[in-house]
Amino acid sequence: MIAYQLSIFAENKPGKLAHVTSVLAKEKINIRATTIATADTFGVISLIVDDPKSAQAALMAAGMTVNLVDVLAILIPDKPGGLDELMQLLFKENININNAYGFVLESSKKAVFVVDVEQMAKAEKLLEEKGFQTLDTAALCAMEPSCSVK
Amino acid sequence: MYWEKEIETIERRQLEKLQLERLKQSINKASKSLYYGDKFKDKVINAAAIKSIQDIEKIPFTTKDDLRGNWPYGLVATSKDELVRMHSSSGTTGRATVIFHTAGDIAVWTNLVARCMYMTGMRKSDVFQNMMTYGLFTGGLGFHYGAEKIGALVIPASAGNSKRQIQLMIDFATTVVHVIPSYALHLSTVFTELKIDPRRDTKVKIAFIGAEPHTEKMRRKIEEIYGYKAFNSYGLSEMSGPGVAFECPNQNGLHIWEDSFLVEIINPQTLQPVRDGEEGELVMTTLQREGMPILRYRTKDLTRIIPEPCSCGRTHRRIERIKGRTDDMMIIKGVNIYPMQIEKKLMDIEGVGTNFLIVLDREEFNDLMTVKVEVNKKLFSGELKKLEALRKKIAEELKSEILITPKIDLVEPDSIPKGEGKAVRVIDNRKD
């Protein structure tokens, strides 16, 4: 399954991230993971949120440059070697990772590794064959205790 | 002390007589060109209508747009066979203007440059290192010819390659250099790097600095670093190039050679002449050019006439160092750049938004150009890699147009303030 990552263009200066978080806070959007990639004077803020479409709309209404990017959110066990197993598989299949980050869902139990790869469909199929679970936005949300009671 | 005593110290009245005579010749010559021939046809302007040099006001101004609009041969007044050289303003592609010279024009120009150099104290025994770009730009060849005319040994080093410049300077005991002021300051950092003291380890005593506007403070700084005298040089390709106006040993204003150019200062708004001593736009008429005479050329450079006579004995009036421009032309590292050139290029690049801003800074002694470019909202993919590729592409595209590599800052859409009316395209933070 494919999940959405919210990517926001931002200049590399104070207050830019604060602007993003204030808009999301107002919309009651929960942020699961964040990563920022910077190239000198500008960068891209990437977020995994519980409601990416509403988040995109709200950020764009606030004048920001936003895109929803397809990513694979892969469920992995939160234990030593948990990520390694996944990495060895992708390496063996020669799947290149452009960007990746992770977050823990349940300590010592479940974590999610988010990857942006070039061959999205191939990677997704492969992961499913090998028994990895990929999560879409709804599934990501459902896994979140605070989210599921909403 | 004078290259040509008689003409340099000519009595004003005699000079004006000479000017009137040459102005009439210039008008006659100019009327043989397609452009002026056509212009004068309706208005019945001819040499006979010019009774005094004040009558020049009957002649319409010529602008850079006129030169562009009649590119390339519209203002050529001789047979093309007579032309021996062309030069082009700062080598920019889209808006270049071309000036053609006959052998006679080159001889007159060379003599004027020699006159300038001699005035500052340069002699036959000197070793002259010309650190200006050779090529379409007039600063290279113009000075080269002038120096050879004096009989000095010329090192045609051309621009760039700082370590080699310093090596040449030391190996051949250079005594006179021609250099862009910002480059002189940059070069001083290379001297420091190499642990060479220009004051102690070189023999340079005279520098000609020009091709970009600079302040008195900057000149004094250059003189202090190098321990030489730096003389301000003014010229423009439309008036042949260097050799138009130059400082004498008094270093107080630039003598503008009035036997070769008729000088007016006008109010750029009303286009009326200002009084001697008042600031305005410099307007010049070639008095000796054959291949491409230009009448009442609006230089867009702001200056004023210094009316008081100069103690050096030269009667040709002085202009003050150039204060600025009446248009939006920027001069960076000696290259003339218009915001329009940047705008045109940017608009052709996919992924670029509608607004941009040019910021000029001076860091360490180097002029830096930053172009802030708004990204296009619709084309944002979310990938940093693509943004970096876009930035690289913009830098490369602009370099192909303006010859220098600007720093590119990608900024958010609508983040550049839009002024009311005409957009502010340039912020110049350069000081001294």
Side-chain angles (χ1 to χ4, degrees), chain B residues 16-32:
Chain B
E16 282 172 21
K17 227 174 103 183
L18 180 70
Q19 285 185 317
L20 180 60
E21 199 179 296
R22 286 184 174 171
L23 175 61
K24 289 179 174 197
Q25 286 167 5
S26 258
I27 292 168
N28 276 337
K29 279 180 211 149
S31 62
K32 295 196 177 79

Side-chain angles (χ1 to χ4, degrees), chain A residues 41-90:
Chain A
T41 60
F42 61 87
V44 176
I45 301 168
S46 293
L47 305 173
I48 298 291
V49 298
D50 59 356
D51 187 352
K53 296 231 157 119
S54 311
Q56 183 188 25
L59 292 170
M60 285 180 91
M64 283 179 240
T65 302
V66 190
N67 198 11
L68 286 181
V69 180
D70 292 349
V71 288
L72 290 172
I74 308 155
L75 199 62
I76 56 172
D78 179 21
K79 62 166 196 198
L83 179 58
D84 184 56
E85 200 187 330
L86 173 62
M87 287 305 104
Q88 295 308 330
L89 173 64
L90 294 179

Side-chain angles (χ1 to χ4, degrees), chain A:
Chain A
M1 282 187 280
I2 305 284
Y4 287 129
Q5 167 192 287
L6 203 57
S7 287
I8 305 140
F9 175 79
E11 287 165 52
N12 184 10
K13 54 186 174 192
K16 290 293 165 187
L17 190 54
H19 190 198
V20 172
T21 53
S22 79
V23 171
L24 296 182
K26 212 175 281 168
E27 292 292 313
K28 303 219 181 320
I29 285 165
N30 194 25
I31 302 171
R32 300 308 322 266
T34 64
T35 176
I36 300 178
T38 311
D40 192 12
T41 60
F42 61 87
V44 176
I45 301 168
S46 293
L47 305 173
I48 298 291
V49 298
D50 59 356
D51 187 352
K53 296 231 157 119
S54 311
Q56 183 188 25
L59 292 170
M60 285 180 91
M64 283 179 240
T65 302
V66 190
N67 198 11
L68 286 181
V69 180
D70 292 349
V71 288
L72 290 172
I74 308 155
L75 199 62
I76 56 172
D78 179 21
K79 62 166 196 198
L83 179 58
D84 184 56
E85 200 187 330
L86 173 62
M87 287 305 104
Q88 295 308 330
L89 173 64
L90 294 179
F91 171 46
K92 212 170 74 195
E93 296 294 328
N94 201 28
I95 291 172
N96 192 44
I97 299 172
N98 287 328
N99 192 13
Y101 48 100
F103 56 97
V104 172
L105 271 182
E106 253 180 89
S107 189
S108 297
K109 286 185 182 159
K110 289 176 195 163
V112 173
F113 197 64
V114 180
V115 293
D116 170 12
V117 296
E118 268 145 39
Q119 308 123 294
M120 195 68 81
K122 182 190 166 188
E124 189 194 356
K125 195 161 159 264
L126 176 82
L127 288 167
E128 275 166 18
E129 279 170 16
K130 298 290 175 183
F132 281 97
Q133 194 185 348
T134 53
L135 311 172
D136 63 8
T137 299
L140 264 174
C141 185
M143 294 229 146
E144 164 61 25
S146 68
C147 192
S148 51
V149 296
K150 197 159 133 185

Side-chain angles (χ1 to χ4, degrees), chain A residues 7-11 16 37-44 60 63-67 69 98 116 118, chain B residues 372-373 375-378 380-385 387-388 391 407-415:
Chain A
S7 287
I8 305 140
F9 175 79
E11 287 165 52
K16 290 293 165 187
T38 311
D40 192 12
T41 60
F42 61 87
V44 176
M60 285 180 91
M64 283 179 240
T65 302
V66 190
N67 198 11
V69 180
N98 287 328
D116 170 12
E118 268 145 39
Chain B
K372 291 181 184 284
V373 182
V375 298
N376 186 331
K377 243 179 209 183
K378 293 191 190 94
F380 173 65
S381 69
E383 281 177 69
L384 189 65
K385 210 165 64 180
L387 291 170
E388 287 187 297
R391 176 165 71 166
K407 181 173 177 286
I408 306 298
D409 277 0
L410 296 182
V411 299
E412 291 166 31
D414 305 317
S415 66

